[in-house]
Amino acid sequence: MKANRELVMIPGPTPVVESIRKQMERETASFKDPDFLNDFNQVIADLKELWQSDEVFVLVGSGTLAMEVAVSNIVQKPDPVLVISHGYFGDRMIELCQRKGLEVDTMTSEWGKAIPVEEVEQKLAEKNYRAVFSTHADTSTGVKAPVVELGKLLSGYPDTLFVVDGVCSTAGEAEAMKDMHIDILFTASQKALGVPPGLAIVWANEKALKRREELGDIPEYYADFHKWLPIMHDPNNYFGTPAVNLIWALNQALKIIKAEGLQNRFERHRLWGGAVQQALEEMGFHILAEKGSRASTLSNVIYMEGVEDAEFRSVLKQEGVVVAGGLGSYAGKAFRLGHMGNIDLNELVTVVTAIEKALHRLGQPVEFGKSANIVLDSILKG
Ligand code: PMP
């Protein structure tokens, strides 16, 4: 029998709560409508304040556009850059930088492991990189990069910009541009912000904007900071049509974040992520990311002997929970579970319980209720 309601627990898009969904249903206003302009201004102000940024760009597009914007505005052919990759999306950044004709040095980890900061430090001694790129949480591995330590290290290199891909982390993992010495941070709407897909968000500090100035004209048009700055300073200006309903939805998501408190939200993700990972391990799964480098926003979960990927995910879907398949060499060997954004504790308990039910249906030994116990105990009792 099919579940009444499906919880989409892939690592983005994440479940969209009713108050955000309602913004998507509204009749679309003119992008010159004074009420809409107020809301857009509020979004820009909140994004800058919450993530400690000098500027922010809210564009129509997905996370990959945000990657392109981040690169195009601070480096140009044949600048040397360093890309730290902990998986598929780090590798995407490598490819993007290569396409731009940059001189790309890479540091790539074995999937599941994080590159030690000391190795990055050695690498920085070899060359004057114009920029260093790192994914905060790589969605293909669930590995979290040591962004605080990397930022500290890079603060000693005034000519090198530090760029963080927060597509699978922003609004879930602790991020603050100034405190963490990040020059560009970018994300997309559909993950820990809990908004439907369609917005690319790029934060930039003074240092990054100064670099943009130095580059003069760049070949990119839509992705150019200079085209968008007048709009971000006053949304009454026009360059490209804003996604009106998505901006309303983001405004509502930011209200939710401010009511929760950004630091509380980070702490909730840390606690909940750890609890889910513990419950999964107790069920007999393995978590791909090594302990100490696990993202709080998602888990890459390796199957135990005897569980077949397609069958597990299809049975789990019947039980009401949708998860994603593994990527790269983990396709067929692991599933990816998102636990970020605006999900609530009841939903989290439902998810681990549905996983127990799916395992049981597949003939695996299961102690019903154990994972709900673990989740509730560790979250409510600490
Ligand atoms: N970076 C990371 C870390 C991601 O997880 C993703 C999407 N899963 C992207 C970049 C690309 O984002 P999009 O699919 O929205 O283009």
Side-chain angles (χ1 to χ4, degrees):
M1 201 178 86
K2 205 173 168 304
N4 285 339
R5 204 184 130 219
E6 255 172 27
L7 268 172
V8 178
M9 299 299 291
I10 63 175
T14 58
V16 179
V17 295
E18 194 184 358
S19 65
I20 295 178
R21 257 190 341 254
K22 281 214 163 11
Q23 300 300 320
M24 299 302 294
E25 284 171 20
R26 286 174 65 183
E27 187 172 358
T28 306
S30 158
F31 57 90
K32 298 280 188 183
D33 181 282
D35 288 338
F36 170 69
L37 293 176
N38 271 342
D39 292 337
F40 200 172
N41 266 320
Q42 185 67 51
V43 163
I44 293 165
D46 284 345
L47 288 172
K48 289 203 301 201
E49 191 184 331
L50 286 165
W51 279 274
Q52 301 179 348
S53 170
D54 296 317
E55 294 289 354
V56 69
F57 300 86
V58 183
L59 309 178
V60 185
S62 79
T64 308
L65 173 74
M67 296 171 79
E68 186 133 27
V69 170
V71 175
S72 310
N73 285 279
I74 59 166
V75 280
Q76 63 187 3
K77 191 175 171 174
D79 284 343
V81 298
L82 176 64
V83 183
I84 299 164
S85 176
H86 291 121
Y88 182 91
F89 290 101
D91 291 353
R92 175 172 288 192
M93 185 55 97
I94 293 172
E95 189 193 350
L96 198 157
C97 289
Q98 284 168 341
R99 285 275 196 105
K100 301 268 178 205
L102 302 166
E103 180 191 318
V104 189
D105 286 356
T106 62
M107 297 184 79
T108 304
S109 68
E110 185 191 326
W111 276 32
K113 299 213 160 33
I115 292 163
V117 180
E118 304 75 59
E119 286 181 24
V120 179
E121 190 169 10
Q122 284 165 17
K123 195 84 187 163
L124 290 176
E126 287 173 16
K127 214 178 263 182
N128 286 328
Y129 293 108
R130 296 273 280 168
V132 172
F133 297 86
S134 177
T135 304
H136 196 169
D138 201 297
T139 322
S140 61
T141 55
V143 168
K144 178 162 76 174
V147 168
V148 171
E149 293 77 8
L150 287 171
K152 240 180 235 157
L153 171 66
L154 283 158
S155 67
Y157 293 79
D159 297 329
T160 308
L161 297 183
F162 182 33
V163 181
V164 174
D165 173 344
V167 176
C168 204
S169 56
T170 301
E173 302 282 357
E175 282 165 352
M177 300 274 294
K178 294 213 161 62
D179 294 347
M180 293 163 78
H181 309 284
I182 299 170
D183 297 305
I184 291 187
L185 172 69
F186 61 85
T187 195
S189 49
Q190 75 271 20
K191 304 223 180 199
L193 286 164
V195 170
L199 291 178
I201 303 166
V202 184
W203 289 263
N205 75 5
E206 279 300 335
K207 197 166 145 187
L209 294 159
K210 208 164 146 261
R211 178 69 71 75
R212 170 66 196 89
E213 286 288 336
E214 286 164 24
L215 297 186
D217 277 346
I218 60 171
E220 291 76 9
Y221 192 73
Y222 184 87
D224 186 354
F225 279 173
H226 280 179
K227 292 287 184 200
W228 290 105
L229 268 177
I231 290 81
M232 298 303 139
H233 291 164
D234 177 3
N236 197 25
N237 290 314
Y238 165 77
F239 177 58
T241 307
V244 173
N245 290 68
L246 278 167
I247 286 167
W248 279 331
L250 180 56
N251 194 24
Q252 178 58 29
L254 292 166
K255 280 185 191 160
I256 292 173
I257 290 174
K258 286 187 290 182
E260 182 176 13
L262 190 58
Q263 300 309 319
N264 294 340
R265 190 177 177 91
F266 294 153
E267 180 54 19
R268 169 169 66 83
H269 278 81
R270 193 191 63 76
L271 199 61
W272 291 22
V276 170
Q277 285 158 359
Q278 191 192 335
L280 290 164
E281 286 182 317
E282 289 285 337
M283 279 188 250
F285 292 106
H286 293 281
I287 304 292
L288 172 58
E290 62 187 352
K291 275 216 166 86
S293 300
R294 288 181 182 169
S296 305
T297 47
L298 85 155
S299 300
N300 284 58
V301 190
I302 302 170
Y303 295 111
M304 59 286 278
E305 273 289 311
V307 176
E308 200 274 319
D309 174 49
E311 194 183 12
F312 171 81
R313 286 194 288 131
S314 133
V315 170
L316 185 59
K317 186 167 159 41
Q318 288 164 15
E319 294 295 340
V321 174
V322 179
V323 295
L327 289 176
S329 62
Y330 286 91
K333 295 190 186 134
F335 70 93
R336 292 178 304 133
L337 175 69
H339 30 81
M340 62 184 137
N342 295 321
I343 49 165
D344 67 26
L345 190 48
N346 290 348
E347 288 166 333
L348 202 64
V349 168
T350 299
V351 169
V352 289
T353 305
I355 294 173
E356 282 181 352
K357 285 163 79 187
L359 286 181
H360 173 70
R361 283 180 56 187
L362 295 175
Q364 293 293 314
V366 167
E367 199 182 316
F368 282 125
K370 189 176 175 189
S371 42
N373 247 311
I374 291 172
V375 165
L376 290 172
D377 261 356
S378 57
I379 291 173
L380 298 179
K381 297 186 188 162

